[in-house]
Structure formats: C-alpha cells, structure tokens
Amino acid sequence: MSDAPKIAIVGSGLIGCAWAVSFARGSCTVSLYDRDSSTVAQAPERVRTIATDMEAAGLLGDATAEEICARVSVADSLEQALSGVSHVQENVPEKLEIKQAVFAELDKLAPADAVLASSTSALLPSAFTEHLSGRARCVVAHPINPPSLIPAVEVVPAPWTDPDVVERTAQLMERIGQKPIRMKREIDGFIMNRLQGALLQEAFRLVDQGICGPEDVDIGIRDGLAPRWALVGPFETIDLNAPGGVRDYVERYGGMYERMAPSQRDPADWRGPVLDTIDTARRATVPLEDIPKAQARRDRRLVALMQHLGNADKKDR
Amino acid sequence: MSDAPKIAIVGSGLIGCAWAVSFARGSCTVSLYDRDSSTVAQAPERVRTIATDMEAAGLLGDATAEEICARVSVADSLEQALSGVSHVQENVPEKLEIKQAVFAELDKLAPADAVLASSTSALLPSAFTEHLSGRARCVVAHPINPPSLIPAVEVVPAPWTDPDVVERTAQLMERIGQKPIRMKREIDGFIMNRLQGALLQEAFRLVDQGICGPEDVDIGIRDGLAPRWALVGPFETIDLNAPGGVRDYVERYGGMYERMAPSQRDPADWRGPVLDTIDTARRATVPLEDIPKAQARRDRRLVALMQHLGNADKKDR
C-alpha cells in the first residue's frame, strides 16, 4: 500500500521487535533503530522469530512471515530511521534521564508532523516531555507485552498533548489491529496497572488476614472470573448479569459491594509476613530454577489462547 | 462405580440442574428435589439439555449425555432425596428465612454423617446454621454459574463448621473436577466477589473521575489483562513477571502499587452520575432488548473457551 504509514521504532529490544511485527502486520513500513549496535544487530533475527511463530499460530492474518520481515528494516542512524515517518514508537530503558534525552533528540530530528509515542509503563508522559518545543505531539502508547500478541494499548496524554495526537495514535493502533484505551489524562499506573493493583491489593489483604491461601486467590481468578473477563470486560460482565443491564445490576447488587468496601480500604504491607506466605506457596509449586520453564509454558499457552479467541470472535459475530 | 458418592440436590432450578450434571460427570449418583412441583417437572429436560450441550462441546470427559442423565433421578419427597446421601447441595432462593427453614429441615432429615452445603453467594453460612444441632456439618459451597462449566467453587466455613467438613467438601469438589477455594473463615463477598468488587471499585472510580470511558476499562481487562489471568492467576502472574519470582517482583514494582494506593481508597458513588455514563455507553453498544442475545453469545463463546482451555491444558502439561 502506498499510503501505508511509515513508522520508526527507537529501542529495538524485545518490545521494540514485537512492535515492529505489529506495525508490519498492519501494512506499515517499519524502520528500527537502537543506540546499542549489538541490540540492533540481533533485531532482524528477533523480528523473524516472532513473525514465524505468529505465522505458525495463524496470528498474522493474511500476511506471511516473509512479508512482515520485508516491511521491517534496520537504520544506521537515528536520522535515517526517522526520515519520512508519521509515528515514532520509543522503547528505551525505563529511566527518566534516558527518556528525557531521547525525547529531546526525537523532537529535534523527527518530521514536524510525526507523533512521538513512548512505550513506558511506569513514567508519566509529563515527566519527560514538558520542556520540548514539540511537546504537544508527545504521548504514551503503552502496550501489554508482547504487543504482537496482546491487543490492548494505553494511549496517555500529558496535560499539553494535543487531543488530535491522542486520536491519531488511537486510530493508528486500531488500523494495525491493536485495541487502544483512550485516556483523557495521565494518572499513575494508567488504567491497566491501576486495575491490576486494585485486584492485587485485595489479594494480598485476603492472604494477609488469613482468609485463604495464595493458591485460592489464583483459583478464584484463573478458574473462576478470568475466563468470562477474557470475553467480556468487567462493565460488560455486570451489564449482562441483570435483566435490566448495569443500572439494574447496581440496584440489585450495589449494596453487597458497598458493605465490603470499608474492609477494602487499607492495604496490607506487601513486604510483611504475607510475602513469606506467598513466596513459600509459589516456590513449593514452581522452584526458582523452574521459573523460565513456567514462563515458556505460559507463553505457549497464551499464543494458543489468543488464536482461539481471535478465531471464535470471527466465527461468532 | 459402587463407591461413588450419592448426592442430593435441593432446589432444582438452573443452578441445581447444572450441579447435577457436574456431580454426575464425576460419577456420582444424584437425586434432585424441589418443593415446587413445576420446577422439578422441568428438571430432567434441563439436565438433558445441559448434558447434551456439554457432550457436543467435548466437556463431559469420557461420559456420554445418556450416562449423565441415567445417574440423575428426581425424588418425590425430601426424605427420599436425602436417603443414603453423603453430600447435600442446596440451591433454594437467596432469602435468609428460606435458607434457615430449609437447613433446619435438612439437618433433621439427612443422614447424620452427610455434609450440608449451600450454593449461596450472598449469605454468610453463620446466618442460617447457628441454631442447628448439626451446625458443625454445615458449609457453603458457592459456585460461579454454571458450575458445570466454570470450575471454581468457594468452600466457606461458619465459625462452628468442623474443619473436616471443609476438607471433605473440597475433596468431593476435586473428585468431580471442580476447583475448590478453601476458605479459613467466612467474610462478606467470600473471595471471588471481593476480588471482583475491588476491581469494580477501581473501574467505577476511573470513569467517575473522567480518566477514561467505560469501554476503555473493558478493553483493558478483556483485551489486556484477562487472557493471561485465564491461564495464570494474579499471584502466579506476578511470580512469573520477575526473574526472582514474587519476592523480586514486590522489590521491583511494589513501590508503584504503594504510590497509587492512597488514590484507590475512596469508592465512587455507584448510583451517582457515573452510572449514567456507564449506562449510556452500554446501551449505545447493546440496546436493552438485545441483552438476551448478547448473553447467549457470551455463553456460546464461554463454552468454546472452556473447551479450548481444557484441551490446551491437557496437551501442555
């Protein structure tokens, strides 16, 4: 496609390479850059591995791994990477000084109308864009790793980000098959880590108070709530759990949640005795040296699950 | 199997019939009773429909729908239903006076060594068992609906429940392929509704404060966090997200969750303007009259998902 956007990926580690595959799958032309020459040297092989695994799992849509690889190139310089791009996706280490330095450079070198997006999960966009002349075009586009597999991407504006930049970024994400979360303003933890944090606070609290063990919490989510949440989000869930929708649900069950709220205010001390309890339970299930094996199994099963969810969604519209 | 437990299901509506299929799939002999004669008259057909749908989805293991139906019978009286059973699963309406009356009757009529388990989601076991002479054998075994599809079951003791009764109930659940959550003591909302409540509180808060829209929260869970949670629970998730396991994770990321905790204390007013925002967004997506259609789609997709998860788990141990 001649009108396919050109994208620069700055920082070509694992996340950068997964982003490259996502953008290329969406017909974009991708240019990879990394300050570290050994990282950039590994990038083409990494991109190929991700693309090949996804092709095998049927997750590339109509494209082949070969086509994906052909859309991704490695740039010798930042200037070269940024030439003619409409979107820059930055994935450098999560250190404030590094992000500040990189964004200053990007703002100087990127085409004036290019969006500058950071993959940061932990830094607010205001923290590293305030003093840039092009700060209105800076935004966070935070993926869940790897973006090539998990669709959700948080689009987070700083107070000075142009609302059009949020919308352009969200539309680009939709174009390549990601699912943008359009945030109205920045907040610590963005949306997903805040939701996960709220759940974890209750999980630590229940174990800390001796109500149940860590494995019981995992059963409650894994074998209880999460399968449905993987099909319908929490608001959709309650909306479909009362004949009159969410308003009816709040009428029927709001009182239950109100009653438990006061006992859900105070966080447990995560570093206290509860951590020993959780650590002991986890190490009895997965010894420390087996963590890489457990991660590999989780990753294989996640690929299979995303394939299932994609196919089932297509079949049952 | 001659040593297969005999189970009584008291209250044979949708939940009771789904329980009947679960127990029968686990080789139990099941006797159904309902005070309401039209409910009990519908039960055999309901059981057959559930069993047939599950057979079609490959969710009955080695059993056929025919075999499941053959293990389930309808009793003419409560006495007959309870004869020779080792476990009673009660599913009568969620009204305190009804539960109290039914448990008094069960305690009088059931074999002395039978466990009396309630499917209640909202009542604490202490509220309807305190004055029974057999209160030590009373427990809650709360499923997520339908138990024939979702494995998690909360086993909740009253202060006077014999710990052996909790363990026997949990082992029976494991035997029939459910996943018991062994609670050490009762608490409002048990485990799953407390975890869901904590997540919903943050979801309502984010929308109430205008950080994002309801659909963004749904994307964050459905297309972000939940697919992984359907494979590994929240503690497993963080344990596998740092090289040194959960202890290392808390060291690295505990500070982030601590920083956001103060802004997660105060609940939004669910009945305030935020409800209009959510209701408006939901009704734009699913008009009120289409809720049954959306529920049916969710249910079909849940059957397919549970089939996928079961098969993938067997293949990749």
Side-chain angles (χ1 to χ4, degrees), chain A residues 52-65:
Chain A
T52 307
D53 288 353
M54 293 184 65
E55 185 179 36
L59 289 171
L60 283 189
D62 296 331
T64 64

Side-chain angles (χ1 to χ4, degrees), chain B:
Chain B
M1 275 198 248
S2 60
D3 70 337
K6 194 177 166 216
I7 311 291
I9 307 274
V10 175
S12 69
L14 281 176
I15 301 173
C17 289
W19 266 125
V21 173
S22 290
F23 283 114
R25 181 178 49 184
S27 307
C28 299
T29 305
V30 181
S31 178
L32 282 172
Y33 175 76
D34 203 293
R35 176 177 304 259
D36 180 73
S37 59
S38 81
T39 303
V40 86
Q42 292 170 32
E45 199 43 44
R46 271 190 178 151
V47 167
R48 182 169 301 275
T49 303
I50 297 170
T52 306
D53 288 353
M54 293 185 65
E55 185 179 36
L59 289 170
L60 282 188
D62 296 332
T64 64
E66 215 43 62
E67 286 169 318
I68 297 295
C69 293
R71 290 172 197 157
V72 179
S73 62
V74 166
D76 293 330
S77 66
L78 185 55
E79 289 82 348
Q80 190 194 337
L82 296 173
S83 162
V85 303
S86 58
H87 179 96
V88 182
Q89 189 70 38
E90 164 276 312
N91 325 275
V92 301
E94 293 275 68
K95 291 232 162 73
L96 184 57
E97 319 77 67
I98 300 181
K99 297 278 188 203
Q100 285 169 334
V102 168
F103 264 74
E105 228 179 346
L106 293 176
D107 193 35
K108 217 181 297 169
L109 298 174
D113 59 350
V115 167
L116 310 183
S118 172
S119 296
T120 184
S121 67
L123 298 169
L124 295 179
S126 61
F128 54 90
T129 64
E130 183 172 6
H131 303 294
L132 303 179
S133 64
R135 65 183 194 169
R137 60 164 165 166
C138 296
V139 74
V140 162
H142 169 236
I144 295 256
N145 280 327
S148 49
L149 197 53
I150 304 286
V153 175
E154 293 168 316
V155 183
V156 194
W160 39 80
T161 304
D162 185 339
D164 271 6
V165 166
V166 172
E167 195 47 39
R168 270 175 65 194
T169 306
Q171 287 180 11
L172 174 64
M173 292 300 152
E174 280 168 348
R175 179 189 174 128
I176 66 170
Q178 306 290 141
K179 303 266 181 145
I181 292 168
R182 291 167 164 87
M183 289 180 65
K184 305 288 192 299
R185 60 177 196 272
E186 64 178 25
I187 186 172
D188 253 332
F190 307 152
I191 301 295
M192 290 188 281
N193 273 332
R194 290 185 75 82
L195 291 166
Q196 172 166 248
L199 190 85
L200 284 174
Q201 291 291 5
E202 182 61 17
F204 274 86
R205 207 181 280 123
L206 286 165
V207 176
D208 188 50
Q209 295 178 1
I211 306 286
C212 67
E215 61 283 10
D216 298 301
V217 166
D218 282 340
I219 292 172
I221 297 296
R222 185 189 59 217
D223 303 303
L225 299 169
R228 200 161 275 159
W229 281 340
L231 303 173
V232 285
F235 283 128
E236 285 176 281
T237 296
I238 64 174
D239 189 50
L240 298 183
N241 271 352
V246 62
R247 196 175 286 281
D248 185 20
Y249 184 93
V250 169
E251 189 62 44
R252 288 169 190 244
Y253 306 108
M256 175 179 71
Y257 295 109
E258 264 171 45
R259 277 196 304 280
M260 60 177 91
S263 62
Q264 300 187 301
R265 287 173 63 88
D266 297 317
D269 175 8
W270 290 23
R271 293 180 176 81
V274 65
L275 185 54
D276 296 327
T277 308
I278 300 167
D279 190 50
T280 302
R282 289 300 307 157
R283 295 294 68 80
T285 310
V286 179
L288 211 52
E289 64 272 22
D290 288 348
I291 284 186
K293 215 164 61 181
Q295 288 170 332
R297 178 173 191 266
R298 173 203 62 191
D299 292 345
R300 282 194 306 273
R301 294 205 52 202
L302 190 59
V303 167
L305 175 57
M306 297 317 290
Q307 184 187 20
H308 167 79
L309 290 172
N311 290 342
D313 197 45
K314 262 178 253 159
K315 259 194 275 180
D316 194 355
R317 283 208 180 271

Side-chain angles (χ1 to χ4, degrees), chain A residues 7-273:
Chain A
I7 311 291
I9 306 274
V10 175
S12 69
L14 282 175
I15 302 172
C17 288
W19 266 125
V21 173
S22 289
F23 283 113
R25 182 178 49 185
S27 307
C28 300
T29 305
V30 181
S31 176
L32 282 172
Y33 174 77
D34 202 294
R35 178 178 301 261
D36 180 72
S37 59
S38 81
T39 303
V40 86
Q42 291 170 34
E45 199 44 44
R46 272 190 177 150
V47 167
R48 183 168 299 275
T49 303
I50 296 170
T52 307
D53 288 353
M54 293 184 65
E55 185 179 36
L59 289 171
L60 283 189
D62 296 331
T64 64
E66 215 44 61
E67 287 170 317
I68 296 295
C69 293
R71 288 172 198 158
V72 180
S73 63
V74 165
D76 293 329
S77 66
L78 185 54
E79 288 81 349
Q80 190 193 337
L82 296 173
S83 161
V85 302
S86 58
H87 179 96
V88 182
Q89 188 70 38
E90 165 277 312
N91 324 273
V92 301
E94 290 275 68
K95 293 232 161 73
L96 183 57
E97 318 79 67
I98 301 182
K99 296 277 188 204
Q100 284 169 333
V102 168
F103 264 74
E105 228 179 347
L106 293 176
D107 193 33
K108 215 180 302 169
L109 298 174
D113 59 349
V115 167
L116 309 182
S118 172
S119 296
T120 185
S121 66
L123 298 170
L124 295 179
S126 61
F128 53 91
T129 63
E130 184 174 4
H131 302 293
L132 304 178
S133 63
R135 65 184 195 171
R137 60 165 164 166
C138 296
V139 74
V140 161
H142 170 235
I144 296 256
N145 281 325
S148 48
L149 197 53
I150 305 285
V153 175
E154 292 166 318
V155 183
V156 194
W160 41 79
T161 304
D162 184 339
D164 271 5
V165 165
V166 171
E167 195 46 39
R168 270 176 65 193
T169 306
Q171 286 180 10
L172 174 63
M173 292 301 152
E174 280 168 349
R175 178 187 175 131
I176 66 170
Q178 306 291 139
K179 303 266 182 147
I181 292 168
R182 290 166 164 88
M183 290 179 64
K184 304 288 191 301
R185 59 177 197 271
E186 63 178 25
I187 186 173
D188 253 332
F190 307 151
I191 300 297
M192 289 188 282
N193 274 332
R194 290 185 75 84
L195 291 165
Q196 172 167 247
L199 189 86
L200 284 173
Q201 290 292 4
E202 182 61 19
F204 274 86
R205 207 180 279 123
L206 287 165
V207 175
D208 188 50
Q209 295 178 1
I211 306 286
C212 68
E215 60 282 10
D216 298 300
V217 167
D218 281 340
I219 292 172
I221 298 296
R222 185 188 58 218
D223 303 302
L225 300 169
R228 200 161 275 161
W229 282 340
L231 303 173
V232 284
F235 283 128
E236 284 176 281
T237 296
I238 65 174
D239 189 50
L240 298 182
N241 271 352
V246 62
R247 196 174 286 281
D248 186 20
Y249 184 93
V250 169
E251 189 60 45
R252 287 168 190 244
Y253 306 109
M256 176 179 72
Y257 296 108
E258 263 171 44
R259 277 196 304 281
M260 60 177 91
S263 62
Q264 299 187 301
R265 285 175 63 88
D266 296 317
D269 175 8
W270 290 23
R271 294 178 174 84

